[in-house]
Amino acid sequence: MAFDIVSRSWKILENELTRKKCLDVYEEAKGRTDHMIAEKRKKLKKEGRPTEPIPEDDPAKYKHAIYVMVMKLFADMERRRQKLDQRDQEERKRKRETEIEEEERVKADREWQQNFEESRQSRVNSWHDFQSGAGKSKKTKKQKHMTGMMVPPKFKPETR
């Protein structure tokens, strides 16, 4: 496990581009640490204690402060990378779900079209039967109405 970590770190540092990025992170951490020290000195000067030493005046503590800042910057970079990876993964998942929905819609449309074509002849036959039977039934209804008394239409209640 430790060997893998060291090996991966060595590969990162062998690559000039990634090595330059790591050095840039170190330089930024050093700059932020120096800025933090300057702010502490300003604060002490405002409080009237300009000669009082700050902990980062000790070289070991200064190195430790830089180390802590480097770790914070790398952690921030890693969080950003993970966040972007997660966002990218969610985007790919959403696109895949959209593709699946589109495929299902196309399949349903194709199936509906096939069923529509298969049932066409039965619909046509049904219409022909209706047309041929409709003329006879109209005449018989008219004859029934003519022979009997006129009856008002049945009341149909309104439905909502």
Side-chain angles (χ1 to χ4, degrees):
M1 175 92 175
F3 179 76
D4 294 336
I5 293 171
V6 170
S7 175
R8 196 171 70 198
S9 300
W10 183 257
K11 286 179 184 177
I12 288 173
L13 292 176
E14 277 184 330
N15 184 345
E16 285 299 317
L17 184 63
T18 55
R19 183 176 183 184
K20 184 178 180 326
K21 286 181 182 179
C22 290
L23 290 174
D24 289 344
V25 168
Y26 176 79
E27 289 301 319
E28 183 178 347
K30 190 173 179 182
R32 286 186 183 188
T33 304
D34 291 341
H35 180 73
M36 179 189 67
I37 292 171
E39 291 296 317
K40 283 185 179 180
R41 286 202 172 113
K42 276 186 189 178
K43 185 178 177 184
L44 286 175
K45 191 174 182 179
K46 280 185 180 180
E47 293 174 355
R49 303 179 294 179
T51 58
E52 187 176 320
I54 56 173
E56 284 82 7
D57 287 338
D58 180 25
K61 290 187 178 182
Y62 177 73
K63 281 185 176 182
H64 181 71
I66 291 175
Y67 170 80
V68 168
M69 188 60 70
V70 167
M71 291 298 119
K72 284 182 182 178
L73 291 174
F74 275 121
D76 288 344
M77 287 174 56
E78 181 63 18
R79 269 190 242 108
R80 256 183 272 135
R81 186 192 64 77
Q82 288 176 352
K83 195 174 186 180
L84 288 173
D85 285 349
Q86 182 182 8
R87 193 178 303 152
D88 185 46
Q89 185 179 12
E90 288 171 357
E91 180 67 19
R92 283 189 306 227
K93 182 180 176 183
R94 187 190 60 77
K95 282 182 180 180
R96 181 62 186 146
E97 288 173 354
T98 305
E99 289 174 0
I100 290 172
E101 288 174 3
E102 181 66 21
E103 289 171 1
E104 289 174 355
R105 188 189 61 77
V106 167
K107 183 179 176 183
D109 287 347
R110 194 177 311 122
E111 186 177 322
W112 185 86
Q113 190 66 28
Q114 183 180 3
N115 290 341
F116 182 79
E117 292 297 325
E118 288 174 356
S119 66
R120 178 183 303 244
Q121 192 59 44
S122 66
R123 290 192 315 274
V124 169
N125 290 341
S126 174
W127 177 250
H128 286 302
D129 293 344
F130 174 75
Q131 288 289 349
S132 63
K136 294 177 185 175
S137 64
K138 281 185 181 178
K139 290 179 185 175
T140 57
K141 283 184 180 178
K142 283 184 181 179
Q143 289 173 355
K144 286 181 183 177
H145 284 294
M146 296 293 183
T147 58
M149 288 182 46
M150 291 290 267
V151 179
K154 291 185 178 179
F155 174 73
K156 292 183 181 176
E158 189 175 283
T159 58
R160 291 184 186 198

